[in-house]
Amino acid sequence: MSQFINGKRVEGTSGETVDVIDPSNGETIQTISLAGSDDVKVAVQAARDAFPAWSRATPAERSAVLTKFAALMEERAEEFAQLESRQAGKPIRLTREFDVPGTIDNIAFYAGAARNLEGKATGEYSADHTSSIRREAIGVIGSISPWNYPLQMAAWKILPAIAAGNTIVLKPAEITPLTSLLFAEVATEAGLPAGVVNVITGRGSTVGAELLRHPDVDMLSFTGSTSVGRTVLDAAATTAKRVHLELGGKAPFVVFDDADLEAAIHGAVAGSLINTGQDCTAATRAIVHSSLYEKFIEGVSGLYAKVKLGDTADPSTDLGPLVSRKHQETVAGMVDRARGYARVFGGGIPEGDLASGSYYRPTLVADATPDSEIFRDEVFGPVLAVTPFDTDDEAIELANDTPYGLAASAWTKDVYRALRATREIRAGAVWVNDHIPIISEMPHGGFKQSGFGKDMSTYSFDEYTVVKHVMFDLTGEQAKGWHRTIFTLED
């Protein structure tokens, strides 16, 4: 069953199907029926019907469901790890040690955060009145999640929305919907009322467009490319919906001349290859001081050569395939063009046993100029472009020379230099002497064309709640003094 609507699995009614493919070998995991327009209407109505009761549930009641949900996810962790590995082409080690544990931790975090929706303290901000703040759920949330982290992105969309008392209709990428559907099913087993979480699997051009413009959807949350994010904004404008966008990135990895070079080399390899580079926060632009430049290139390219590509079910595999043949062609094309203007280390589509999957070897592109395609555009693959700098001013300027601003890192032993980098680099997250780690307690979201709003942390509640001011008169007077400003009383 390819849809989860009103608490149960159902089939899509569009008459179309799509094969969910294992990118590591090209095999079909499951053929699913796609949702149509009618399915969107039914899912939104289910969410609308469930909203009154769920929004009035106490924080303790919502917390209890999420606490049980985390426990059930822990029991089924291996099932989720295996399914996520197969549909997204992730090495099983990554899903077991990153995707699934991170998702379970998110659920546990929101189980606690659901009981801590705070507002400004009640008080007499006017001498004659008592004011208080209510944080109220917005209503029905329409969310669209991407294919690169199907499980985690579903959790990032669903959890803060329902913890705050909203209901949700989620559209995952149709090529990787399986763990999102299972996630909603397990949440319902944990006691989540029918209709609170609905998952519809369909194409963005039809089902996604219908969801974005549905008049009973009160807010839109989207994670994906910046170009599609603009489409979401256009759709939201038709009914003046609130919008949360987490879009593309081209993260700078700035290595100053006093950096621990070995640490930076290891950090660059891990930060650029996580999820086969299909991560909008991945290290993609290494900006390295000229005194360390060649040693950095030698160290990273040397480690890249040792990275093991292989069967995603094998725990010893380091790097899995790209999500599809089409994406493999896109990445290969960008690297091939770079060979005409830069030094390229590694790269290429492997042959032999891996030829049946959409694998691509780790690639370092040296001497990439700041205006080159490989340095400016999202590759979304295991590719790191490297360019040198001479002064700190130049490094900061290069780091910010991008339309994106999602994540960055600075590598230095100098606290003043680190403070300057974290202050002046315009990105939603700036790591110092590391690149990639995320935690549930801290927000994730960008500057500039990387979008606006936050996933994770209690800051995400700012996206999924409306702040209401409630004011009580304290005087009991019928004719108040301020009324005379508007009209006078004559004897």
Side-chain angles (χ1 to χ4, degrees):
M1 298 288 186
S2 57
Q3 320 295 321
F4 190 86
I5 300 174
N6 205 22
K8 60 184 179 182
R9 295 260 196 161
V10 295
E11 292 290 2
T13 63
S14 71
E16 288 187 82
T17 61
V18 68
D19 292 335
V20 179
I21 304 293
D22 183 338
S24 71
N25 53 29
E27 295 178 0
T28 298
I29 303 169
Q30 186 177 328
T31 299
I32 60 173
S33 59
L34 294 177
S37 178
D38 289 343
D39 299 310
V40 178
K41 293 181 175 70
V42 172
V44 171
Q45 188 60 53
R48 177 61 63 197
D49 292 344
F51 176 71
W54 182 247
S55 63
R56 289 193 296 267
T58 66
E61 289 168 337
R62 293 199 291 266
S63 176
V65 172
L66 290 171
T67 298
K68 186 174 181 182
F69 185 18
L72 291 180
M73 283 288 294
E74 190 75 57
E75 292 174 8
R76 300 178 69 169
E78 181 62 18
E79 179 184 359
F80 274 94
Q82 293 285 349
L83 189 59
E84 187 80 337
S85 173
R86 292 194 66 203
Q87 71 168 354
K90 296 170 181 276
I92 189 64
R93 193 169 76 238
L94 183 66
T95 60
R96 282 175 177 163
E97 298 180 15
F98 182 73
D99 296 79
V100 175
T103 300
I104 294 170
D105 185 71
N106 263 208
I107 302 170
F109 170 79
Y110 280 107
R115 304 184 73 159
N116 193 37
L117 278 169
E118 295 181 338
K120 198 169 186 178
T122 298
E124 287 67 53
Y125 301 94
S126 157
D128 295 337
H129 305 83
T130 294
S131 288
S132 64
I133 291 293
R134 292 177 57 88
R135 275 192 179 270
E136 297 188 356
I138 293 172
V140 176
I141 313 300
S143 287
I144 298 177
S145 57
W147 51 259
N148 58 331
Y149 287 101
L151 177 61
Q152 283 195 314
M153 295 298 100
W156 286 15
K157 298 300 183 194
I158 291 170
L159 294 171
I162 66 173
N166 300 283
T167 56
I168 189 168
V169 179
L170 174 77
K171 193 203 89 65
E174 65 269 24
I175 61 173
T176 55
L178 303 181
T179 49
S180 299
L181 290 162
L182 186 58
F183 188 77
E185 188 173 53
V186 175
T188 302
E189 291 174 11
L192 198 69
V196 174
V197 173
N198 306 274
V199 178
I200 52 171
T201 305
R203 301 193 188 282
S205 58
T206 53
V207 168
E210 174 88 15
L211 182 63
L212 295 177
R213 290 173 172 80
H214 197 294
D216 282 337
V217 172
D218 301 293
M219 174 191 160
L220 302 174
S221 180
F222 171 77
T223 295
S225 70
T226 298
S227 60
V228 178
R230 296 189 188 102
T231 301
V232 175
L233 283 173
D234 289 342
T238 62
T239 50
K241 302 183 195 299
R242 183 186 290 200
V243 180
H244 164 222
L245 299 177
E246 197 269 87
L247 306 175
K250 192 70 177 176
F253 186 100
V254 183
V255 183
F256 291 97
D257 59 5
D258 66 334
D260 181 328
L261 181 59
E262 193 66 20
I265 289 169
H266 282 263
V269 172
S272 61
L273 298 188
I274 186 169
N275 205 40
T276 315
Q278 299 169 127
D279 186 313
C280 46
T281 63
T284 56
R285 295 184 298 139
I287 300 164
V288 183
H289 192 271
S290 56
S291 65
L292 302 177
Y293 185 67
E294 290 299 336
K295 290 182 179 178
F296 179 86
I297 290 169
E298 180 183 357
V300 172
S301 60
L303 286 181
Y304 273 0
K306 297 177 181 178
V307 167
K308 180 181 177 182
L309 284 69
D311 182 356
T312 53
D314 184 347
S316 68
T317 291
D318 298 320
L319 197 71
L322 294 163
V323 73
S324 66
R325 290 284 194 187
K326 181 179 179 181
H327 190 49
Q328 181 192 50
E329 292 172 3
T330 298
V331 173
M334 293 184 77
V335 172
D336 288 345
R337 288 191 293 275
R339 295 181 192 278
Y341 56 78
R343 287 183 289 161
V344 176
F345 298 81
I349 297 171
E351 299 176 349
D353 293 342
L354 300 180
S356 60
S358 50
Y359 290 85
Y360 197 81
R361 292 191 183 93
T363 312
L364 186 144
V365 180
D367 309 337
T369 59
D371 60 349
S372 62
E373 176 193 44
I374 206 78
F375 201 78
R376 296 200 65 81
D377 297 344
E378 274 198 291
V379 181
F380 230 55
V383 179
L384 178 64
V386 191
T387 199
F389 73 90
D390 292 313
T391 68
D392 287 10
D393 287 347
E394 184 184 1
I396 300 296
E397 182 179 352
L398 284 168
N400 287 329
D401 185 18
T402 173
Y404 302 111
L406 188 58
S409 63
W411 297 75
T412 177
K413 297 175 185 176
D414 186 323
V415 66
Y416 300 106
R417 183 177 262 164
L419 285 168
R420 180 190 177 189
T422 57
R423 183 178 68 250
E424 295 187 16
I425 293 176
R426 293 181 54 77
V430 181
W431 295 284
V432 177
N433 296 328
D434 210 341
H435 193 107
I436 281 296
I438 54 174
I439 49 176
S440 297
E441 290 83 358
M442 289 291 115
H444 174 88
F447 286 28
K448 301 189 285 187
Q449 291 186 35
S450 288
F452 45 81
K454 299 299 179 184
D455 289 308
M456 298 201 299
S457 82
T458 55
Y459 290 99
S460 64
F461 286 140
D462 292 339
E463 317 305 324
Y464 294 100
T465 56
V466 175
V467 174
K468 178 188 286 185
H469 171 214
V470 179
M471 179 178 270
F472 294 87
D473 171 60
L474 294 177
T475 66
E477 295 175 359
Q478 293 178 331
K480 297 177 173 59
W482 76 267
H483 294 173
R484 304 292 70 79
T485 304
I486 311 305
F487 68 99
T488 59
L489 291 174
E490 296 183 0
D491 293 335

